[in-house]
Amino acid sequence: MTAKRLLDLALVLPGLALLSPLLLVVALAVRLRLGPGVFFRQERPGLHGRPFSILKFRTMLPGSGPDAERLTPFGRFLRSTSLDELPELFNVLAGDMSLVGPRPLLMQYLPRYSPEQARRHEVLPGLTGWAQVNGRNALSWEEKFRLDVWYVDNRSLALDLAILWRTVRAVLRREGVSAAGEATMPEFMGTPADAGGPGPEFMGTPHEAGRPGPGSPGLKGPEGRD
């Protein structure tokens, strides 16, 4: 068992015990506000792109309409506070995710990544990550993927602890939940060939950046978001 896995278990096991009343309250609120079906499950790519079933609280009304119409004020509140992400702690407990790592996106994105972007799957996906504390949905997809790959190349327990601390502060600010002009994060369709791969150069390492970003954990795409 790796040190990273030990850290995950050391935080998740007592965390689930402490958060169990909150999980029950949110589950009841989702049932009353959004109808039957408390949880949202979807297949996502994990380590090396292997699929797993991610677990979240629902934030949208049932149906096939536009996300902006199905996303209720209650759902927006769950997203802005990241309460919808809490069931992913069970994914961490099962070993499908880690507390820190690139966010698990959609299966259909796998063939759209450049070879460099695909390196984000060299580690377990995370509940939060380096991209999430450096801008969240204020960033372009290419910027997020560049940050994800930076994390893959520079990961350490010290960096994970720093990201977790910055995540707590970022969640309290409730910023960066949606991209500008979008109810949720727009779908990633691939990096244009003439863009030369991933987007602009990252602003620096954690020590060079020296500041928390405006974002917080959990990319918010469609109800199959992130």
Side-chain angles (χ1 to χ4, degrees):
M1 186 177 292
T2 66
K4 183 175 176 65
R5 178 61 176 161
L6 287 173
L7 176 64
D8 285 343
L9 293 176
L11 295 177
V12 168
L13 288 172
L16 281 172
L18 290 172
L19 292 172
S20 56
L22 178 60
L23 286 164
L24 290 173
V25 169
V26 175
L28 179 60
V30 171
R31 176 63 178 83
L32 294 174
R33 295 291 190 91
L34 301 178
V38 169
F39 295 109
F40 169 76
R41 295 178 176 86
Q42 188 179 52
E43 193 173 76
R44 297 288 178 91
L47 181 65
H48 304 309
R50 290 192 294 266
F52 73 98
S53 181
I54 197 170
L55 186 67
K56 302 186 180 191
F57 284 123
R58 282 179 52 222
T59 59
M60 290 186 179
L61 294 170
S64 57
D67 292 342
E69 295 179 4
R70 296 170 53 219
L71 183 60
T72 66
F74 173 68
R76 289 183 186 276
F77 169 77
L78 291 181
R79 292 188 181 196
S80 69
T81 56
S82 294
L83 290 172
D84 64 318
E85 310 281 0
L86 288 179
E88 291 172 48
L89 291 172
F90 292 104
N91 289 121
V92 177
L93 188 63
D96 294 323
M97 294 178 61
S98 177
L99 286 174
V100 179
R103 288 292 297 163
L105 303 178
L106 302 178
M107 293 298 295
Q108 62 260 36
Y109 290 0
L110 290 178
R112 302 176 189 175
Y113 294 138
S114 70
E116 181 71 5
Q117 291 167 348
R119 294 190 56 227
R120 66 193 305 277
H121 291 292
E122 292 178 6
V123 297
L124 283 172
L127 189 64
T128 184
W130 187 233
Q132 281 62 61
V133 296
N134 277 287
R136 201 181 184 179
N137 286 344
L139 302 173
S140 69
W141 282 116
E142 286 76 18
E143 289 170 326
K144 290 189 184 84
F145 298 151
R146 184 175 290 278
L147 293 173
D148 288 341
V149 173
W150 186 92
Y151 172 80
V152 170
D153 289 336
N154 295 274
R155 63 191 185 275
S156 68
L157 288 183
L159 179 59
D160 282 4
L161 289 171
I163 290 171
L164 289 170
W165 171 243
R166 287 173 58 170
T167 294
V168 172
R169 293 194 300 175
V171 166
L172 296 177
R173 294 175 180 150
R174 298 167 60 176
E175 296 175 351
V177 177
S178 298
E182 300 279 348
T184 57
M185 191 66 192
E187 183 176 357
F188 173 64
M189 301 306 296
T191 300
D194 60 1
E201 291 295 331
F202 172 48
M203 67 288 286
T205 67
H207 304 291
E208 292 166 344
R211 72 227 181 277
S216 50
L219 310 179
K220 306 292 183 180
E223 178 96 67
R225 66 194 187 289
D226 280 304

